[in-house]
Amino acid sequence: MVLVTDELRVHLHYTMRGSYPLRLVDVLFCTERAYFVEYDYLTPVDLLFGSPDQRAAAFASQVSEEGVPAALETAEQVETQSYDTLDRIEIHTGGRVGRPKITAQPLTGGSTTVRVHGQFDAEPFTQALRSTVDGHDVTVQQRDGIGI
């Protein structure tokens, strides 16, 4: 997690979603909306040679050096969720055997879930996220465990 600029409040770095192929996703929590930015697909060969770490680092550098608009332009896919359409964001800490999980649940429709593979400290992330959505009717809940 990185606190960045006035527009980009919290950058949740190096998460994944999907089953096969896995997809690399960073979540950019800006002042009025969250962007789930999918920027690469991973095969078993990628995982074997450790390329997810390198790809995630390159994307994080692009966000910090070139900004949110440039990162969105180069993405494979971007899901945008306005805080006005979100009901809650759940943060599962992962426990001893699982990875942390973040789920954004809109008022209507399906939720978006990512598992964190990078550095993550739930307490400061939760506080930063609560500060980011302050003024919107979004509940931010932190829970222990893997969040099945």
Side-chain angles (χ1 to χ4, degrees):
M1 174 192 75
V2 179
L3 295 173
V4 188
T5 66
D6 287 339
E7 179 193 359
L8 177 57
R9 302 304 312 257
V10 180
H11 178 179
L12 181 58
H13 173 59
Y14 193 9
T15 73
M16 293 185 197
R17 69 175 169 189
S19 54
Y20 182 80
L22 288 171
R23 292 173 297 283
L24 277 171
V25 178
D26 276 23
V27 187
L28 309 176
F29 293 97
C30 294
T31 54
E32 296 297 318
R33 64 193 49 82
Y35 297 101
F36 291 79
V37 184
E38 188 175 295
Y39 55 92
D40 216 338
Y41 290 91
L42 299 173
T43 67
V45 173
D46 294 323
L47 297 170
L48 180 67
F49 290 109
S51 66
D53 294 338
Q54 297 163 353
R55 293 178 188 177
F59 185 79
S61 292
Q62 180 183 23
V63 171
S64 64
E65 292 170 10
E66 300 174 31
V68 173
L72 297 178
E73 284 180 21
T74 63
E76 297 278 330
Q77 179 179 333
V78 177
E79 180 181 332
T80 304
Q81 293 192 2
S82 167
Y83 300 138
D84 293 335
T85 64
L86 280 179
D87 177 44
R88 68 185 179 280
I89 300 171
E90 295 177 353
I91 302 148
H92 293 270
T93 61
R96 289 186 283 169
V97 295
R99 295 198 182 274
K101 178 178 98 168
I102 311 300
T103 300
Q105 180 64 54
L107 295 166
T108 60
S111 63
T112 301
T113 299
V114 296
R115 294 242 180 230
V116 182
H117 286 254
Q119 295 288 331
F120 186 75
D121 190 346
E123 284 298 322
F125 174 78
T126 301
Q127 293 309 315
L129 194 53
R130 284 183 177 142
S131 175
T132 299
V133 301
D134 189 36
H136 299 277
D137 194 18
V138 179
T139 302
V140 176
Q141 300 171 322
Q142 180 182 323
R143 298 181 176 165
D144 292 332
I146 59 175
I148 297 175

